[in-house]
């Protein structure tokens, strides 16, 4: 065992985006990258999920690029007064490029597997995770999209379904979500089906959050997919 199983709750500055990490018990492990939602921070998903994620993953949770107040960050601006401006397209595209670059940095820095990256995003982080998966198909293989949706404006205009044959999604959403209506999510499911991309979709009697059943289903999916990765 080459790595420590414990992590330090210290914000790292040595790569292009600030992050915290929990190291794997194995060498050449898979990167499990977490992207929090709007107005949250790198500790959110990390402390909620990391204790249950198998120890063969090298977990990194990123801090958002834009500050929204004390310990609050985002990946791009949102205009809540205008539904058409719920995503700042140019900022989102720049952020996608930065996260994509960070993934390459992290793989090199920690000597991780180059073709087995997992993305886990909530809300805004989930929206970005969809896009990054389509941009880096040779690297990203599993995507966990929690309370987010597929945004057509920030994915490649042309999708070659042949190169996504081993891409898998876990998608979950609350039926009472007033931040991101469930109809947006289901529109994305149709896109995945059209392009023959594998996914498991779960919906819950909840709002814009992750409830206990959602957490259980997610962990079962991670364990199942981890066995075959």
């Amino acid at each position: 065992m080459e790595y420590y199983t414990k992590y330090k709750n210290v914000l790292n500055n040595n790569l292009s985006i600030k992050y915290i990490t929990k190291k794997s018990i194995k060498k050449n492990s898979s990167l499990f990258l977490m992207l929090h939602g709007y107005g949250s921070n790198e500790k959110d998903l990390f402390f909620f999920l990391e204790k249950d994620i198998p120890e063969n993953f090298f977990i990194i949770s990123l801090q958002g690029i834009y500050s929204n107040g004390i310990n609050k960050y985002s990946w791009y601006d949102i205009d809540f007064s205008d539904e058409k401006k719920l995503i700042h397209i140019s900022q989102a595209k720049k952020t996608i490029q930065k996260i994509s670059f960070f993934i390459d940095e992290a793989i090199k820095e920690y000597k991780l597997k180059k073709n087995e990256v997992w993305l886990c995003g909530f809300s805004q982080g989930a929206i970005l995770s969809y896009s990054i998966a389509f941009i880096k198909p040779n690297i990203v293989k599993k995507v966990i999209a929690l309370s987010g949706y597929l945004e057509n404006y920030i994915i490649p205009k042309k999708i070659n379904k042949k190169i996504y044959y081993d891409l898998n999604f876990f998608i979950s959403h609350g039926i009472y979500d007033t931040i991101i209506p469930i109809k947006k999510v289901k529109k994305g499911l149709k896109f995945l089906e059209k392009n023959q991309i594998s996914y498991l979709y779960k919906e819950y009697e909840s709002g814009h959050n992750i409830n206990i059943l959602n957490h259980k289903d997610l962990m079962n999916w991670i364990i199942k997919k981890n066995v075959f990765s």
Side-chain angles (χ1 to χ4, degrees):
M1 295 183 181
E2 299 290 332
Y3 290 101
Y4 297 102
T5 59
K6 299 292 184 182
Y7 63 86
K8 293 181 179 180
N9 181 21
V10 176
L11 196 60
N12 293 282
N13 296 297
N14 57 316
L15 301 181
S16 58
I17 302 176
K18 295 179 181 179
Y19 65 99
I20 56 177
T21 184
K22 180 180 180 181
K23 295 181 179 180
S24 170
I25 63 171
K26 296 174 60 177
K27 292 183 67 175
N28 192 33
S29 52
S30 298
L31 171 60
F32 193 102
L33 187 69
M34 296 179 174
L35 304 175
H36 63 75
Y38 182 91
S40 187
N41 60 54
E42 71 284 352
K43 297 176 183 178
D44 189 10
L45 284 174
F46 188 83
F47 288 123
F48 183 58
L49 299 176
E50 62 84 18
K51 65 182 181 299
D52 298 314
I53 294 174
E55 290 187 323
N56 62 298
F57 285 108
F58 192 105
I59 304 172
I60 292 179
S61 185
L62 296 182
Q63 182 187 90
I65 294 171
Y66 300 98
S67 177
N68 301 123
I70 300 175
N71 293 323
K72 295 181 179 181
Y73 300 90
S74 65
W75 302 105
Y76 53 82
D77 292 339
I78 294 177
D79 184 350
F80 288 101
S81 66
D82 188 343
E83 185 176 349
K84 295 181 180 179
K85 295 181 180 179
L86 285 177
I87 177 168
H88 192 301
I89 296 173
S90 61
Q91 281 186 351
K93 287 183 176 180
K94 289 179 182 178
T95 294
I96 289 166
Q97 292 176 351
K98 289 179 180 180
I99 296 174
S100 296
F101 178 73
F102 178 91
I103 290 172
D104 295 333
E105 280 186 308
I107 290 172
K108 182 178 180 180
E109 175 74 12
Y110 295 108
K111 298 179 175 58
L112 306 175
K113 288 182 180 179
K114 296 180 180 180
N115 60 349
E116 192 59 45
V117 171
W118 293 48
L119 299 180
C120 177
F122 177 81
S123 191
Q124 201 177 69
I127 294 169
L128 294 176
S129 295
Y130 274 108
S131 301
I132 296 166
F134 288 117
I135 290 170
K136 299 178 80 70
N138 295 327
I139 294 177
V140 176
K141 301 301 179 184
K142 307 289 188 302
V143 179
I144 298 164
L146 308 168
S147 299
Y149 70 98
L150 189 153
E151 176 55 72
N152 289 321
Y153 290 112
I154 55 174
I155 64 171
K157 292 183 178 180
K158 292 184 179 180
I159 297 292
N160 181 358
K161 65 181 70 175
K162 293 181 180 179
I163 63 176
Y164 301 107
Y165 70 95
D166 58 348
L167 179 61
N168 282 266
F169 284 81
F170 177 91
I171 302 164
S172 64
H173 213 80
I175 61 176
Y176 305 121
D177 191 332
T178 57
I179 304 298
I180 298 177
I182 200 166
K183 63 181 181 181
K184 282 181 171 287
V185 184
K186 292 187 175 181
K187 185 177 180 180
L189 299 183
K190 292 180 181 179
F191 177 90
L192 296 179
E193 291 168 3
K194 177 182 177 182
N195 290 284
Q196 300 175 7
I197 297 171
S198 298
Y199 71 85
L200 175 64
Y201 173 66
K202 295 281 188 175
E203 56 185 49
Y204 305 92
E205 293 188 3
S206 62
H208 196 66
N209 59 359
I210 306 170
N211 64 18
I212 295 175
L213 183 56
N214 191 170
H215 180 275
K216 180 180 179 181
D217 289 340
L218 170 58
M219 288 306 156
N220 286 338
W221 185 84
I222 290 174
I223 292 170
K224 180 180 178 181
K225 293 300 180 182
N226 183 43
V227 171
F228 297 104
S229 65

